[in-house]
Amino acid sequence: MTNEHRSKHWVVLAVVLAAEVMDLLDATIIAIAGPSIRADLGGGTAFLQWLAAGYTLAFAVGLVTGGRLGDLFGRRRMFLVGAAGFTLMSLLCAIAPGPAALVVFRVLQGLAGAVLIPQGLGLIKAAFPPEKLGAAFGAFGPVMGLSAVCGPILAGFLVDADLFGTGWRMIFLINLPVGLAALIGAALVLPRTQTEGGSLDLPGTMLLGGALVLLVYPLVQGRELGWPWWTWAAMAAALPAFWVFQRYERRRQRAGRTPLVEPSLLAKRRFNAGLLVGLIFFAGLMGLTLILSVWMQVGLGFSPLRAGLTQSPWAFGTALGAVGGHILSARLGGRRLIVGGTAVLGLGVAGLLVTLAVVDGPVSSVQLLPALLVLGLGMGASMAPYFDIVLAAVDEHEVGSASGTLTAVQQIGGAIGVALLGTAFFSWSATETALARVLWLELGLLALAGGLSFLLPRRAREEASEEKELVTVG
């Protein structure tokens, strides 16, 4: 293999990561920038809710469909379509004249992200040889985690800096150069992947979308509305809706028609175990990220910029943990690293609890630094091997469905975490006592995720073939 081909692999990874960073930053910045947007455009608390919820719902509902579009029409082509749409919607968000227009553009931005993001994992798998996939996915996961943590820092800086008099609008304008660079890079270096016959499963799309809306909508809006009876009824109806969806997919495949989600994925025990671990892990992670940002501003009175900067040790620890995780993964195996990283995350949460207990008076940024650094180390180490292990047993024709499903589960996990931890936090008056109780809930989620991680293979490459053989024999 020539040096040019070797370097091209990493350019492909850089292009995919640029798109991931754009999406994750836009998913996390609203927590910091929302109050400034409302002060400028007007609107009530429901407007703030929909700035985040509109994006989340559109993104979650469209993700699996976006992955399937990549299978049908080519992942490179759909990556370009998604990146162009995301960049355009970022511009429209930045120039939105009022609350309603901004919410509409955020929903369309989420749909564009749902087309863009599922292509990334498949493109990486197509571009890298098998022996390099571990290194590629080892960079992929931590960059996603680092972007999620850095979102509030960047948002706080941009809002406070008021660059060129743009105020909050710069949080969307900053996507333009990144999006254009990703588009140019994608056109030049992304590999063309094999496409499949068949057509898009529109009934399956509607069934899956309906099931996800039944679950995600009440989770996002329930606390704001006071948890009326219909929110609980909707969440209860989500489970039979998912059952109807998977039954329909099996019937569609038996009839010789292309399903939205490959039913064969449901037979892969380790892939499904990875989805469950990711659901719980990201629920705790994204919920804690939001709660800490809100507590620093509401409870401690920090400015948006100071709240963002206070979380910088978390971002630094994530990068450091990712590097260490990549080095240790070959020696320890991915499963041990995920379990160990989750345990380190738990130590970071325990450190926050100790800090709240021993500090007399308001907590300072410096006093939070050690615990946040440990949180970052655990997060980076946990995420380094995650994608490689979960996708190792997936066949090539399943990559689009698997990628969309994996990313959708992360998004749903984040919505569940924000709803669960957010409801607990605000129900307890957003005080230090409320934060301490939320941290105990966080420890429970981490313990559950760590325990379920033992269902994953010890190492991705060596056990993936065994699972495929078992599925074939079965």
Side-chain angles (χ1 to χ4, degrees):
M1 184 179 294
T2 65
N3 289 333
E4 180 182 356
H5 286 147
R6 290 194 189 98
S7 62
K8 186 176 180 179
H9 296 153
W10 298 106
V11 176
V12 169
L13 180 63
V15 170
V16 171
L17 288 177
E20 296 283 346
V21 167
M22 263 198 320
D23 165 68
L24 280 167
L25 288 179
D26 273 61
T28 57
I29 54 180
I30 293 300
I32 294 289
S36 298
I37 296 175
R38 183 186 175 193
D40 183 30
L41 296 183
T45 56
F47 167 55
L48 290 181
Q49 286 285 95
W50 276 110
L51 280 180
Y55 185 93
T56 300
L57 282 172
F59 190 63
V61 169
L63 272 172
V64 180
T65 304
R68 188 62 189 148
L69 287 171
D71 289 336
L72 294 174
F73 303 110
R75 297 186 189 110
R76 178 181 180 273
R77 178 181 299 173
M78 298 316 299
F79 186 96
L80 288 167
V81 170
F86 196 94
T87 305
L88 175 60
M89 288 306 114
S90 296
L91 174 61
L92 294 178
C93 285
I95 63 175
L102 182 54
V103 169
V104 170
F105 295 146
R106 282 284 287 174
V107 169
L108 294 175
Q109 189 183 41
L111 289 175
V115 174
L116 170 65
I117 297 306
Q119 317 311 328
L121 298 178
L123 286 166
I124 290 173
K125 199 167 183 178
F128 280 79
E131 66 273 12
K132 297 289 186 181
L133 273 178
F137 285 130
F140 190 83
V143 168
M144 290 178 64
L146 189 62
S147 300
V149 174
C150 288
I153 300 175
L154 179 63
F157 168 75
L158 293 176
V159 172
D160 280 7
D162 191 23
L163 299 174
F164 311 109
T166 55
W168 61 267
R169 297 178 189 272
M170 185 55 71
I171 67 176
F172 296 111
L173 290 172
I174 200 171
N175 283 338
L176 301 187
V178 179
L180 290 173
L183 275 169
I184 294 171
L188 293 176
V189 304
L190 289 188
R192 297 182 185 274
T193 58
Q194 184 176 357
T195 59
E196 301 177 8
S199 59
L200 185 62
D201 179 9
L202 291 178
T205 300
M206 295 177 64
L207 285 171
L208 180 60
L212 287 171
V213 169
L214 285 172
L215 177 63
V216 175
Y217 182 84
L219 282 172
V220 173
Q221 290 289 102
R223 186 189 62 81
E224 179 79 7
L225 300 174
W227 297 106
W229 68 268
W230 63 262
T231 59
W232 300 102
M235 287 187 284
L239 186 59
F242 281 118
W243 181 83
V244 170
F245 167 73
Q246 65 89 17
R247 293 288 295 177
Y248 171 79
E249 293 296 283
R250 290 182 184 278
R251 286 199 303 269
R252 184 178 176 90
Q253 186 183 52
R254 285 197 296 266
R257 304 171 68 189
T258 305
L260 180 63
V261 175
E262 293 289 342
S264 56
L265 287 174
L266 303 177
K268 289 180 164 59
R269 178 176 59 84
R270 286 166 182 153
F271 177 74
N272 290 318
L275 293 182
L276 185 58
V277 170
L279 181 75
I280 298 168
F281 181 85
F282 285 98
L285 178 65
M286 299 308 294
L288 183 61
T289 302
L290 175 65
I291 295 307
L292 285 178
S293 296
V294 172
W295 173 69
M296 288 176 188
Q297 294 181 74
V298 176
L300 299 180
F302 288 180
S303 68
L305 179 58
R306 184 179 175 185
L309 290 174
T310 299
Q311 296 181 61
S312 58
W314 191 344
F316 176 74
T318 300
L320 194 61
V323 173
H326 176 63
I327 295 172
L328 293 173
S329 182
R331 180 181 302 177
L332 299 178
R335 184 174 70 189
R336 287 182 179 177
L337 196 57
I338 290 175
V339 173
T342 304
V344 174
L345 266 167
L347 289 176
V349 174
L352 287 174
L353 282 167
V354 171
T355 302
L356 295 178
V358 302
V359 172
D360 186 16
V363 181
S364 68
S365 299
V366 173
Q367 290 166 331
L368 292 170
L369 189 153
L372 292 175
L373 180 62
V374 174
L375 275 173
L377 290 170
M379 181 172 130
S382 299
M383 295 185 68
Y386 174 74
F387 294 97
D388 193 26
I389 278 189
V390 175
L391 290 177
V394 173
D395 295 321
E396 180 61 30
H397 72 282
E398 300 168 328
V399 169
S401 292
S403 300
T405 303
L406 180 60
T407 315
V409 163
Q410 295 172 43
Q411 192 74 7
I412 294 167
I416 292 172
V418 168
L420 175 64
L421 299 185
T423 297
F425 182 66
F426 289 110
S427 297
W428 291 321
S429 303
T431 62
E432 286 190 8
T433 301
L435 178 63
R437 292 175 179 174
V438 165
L439 292 174
W440 282 109
L441 289 176
E442 176 73 14
L443 283 175
L445 289 174
L446 291 174
L448 183 57
L452 290 171
S453 296
F454 285 99
L455 297 174
L456 299 174
R458 289 187 299 273
R459 298 177 186 274
R461 304 271 82 76
E462 68 185 28
E463 297 190 25
S465 58
E466 296 178 13
E467 170 132 348
K468 290 175 184 177
E469 290 175 5
L470 288 173
V471 171
T472 302
V473 171

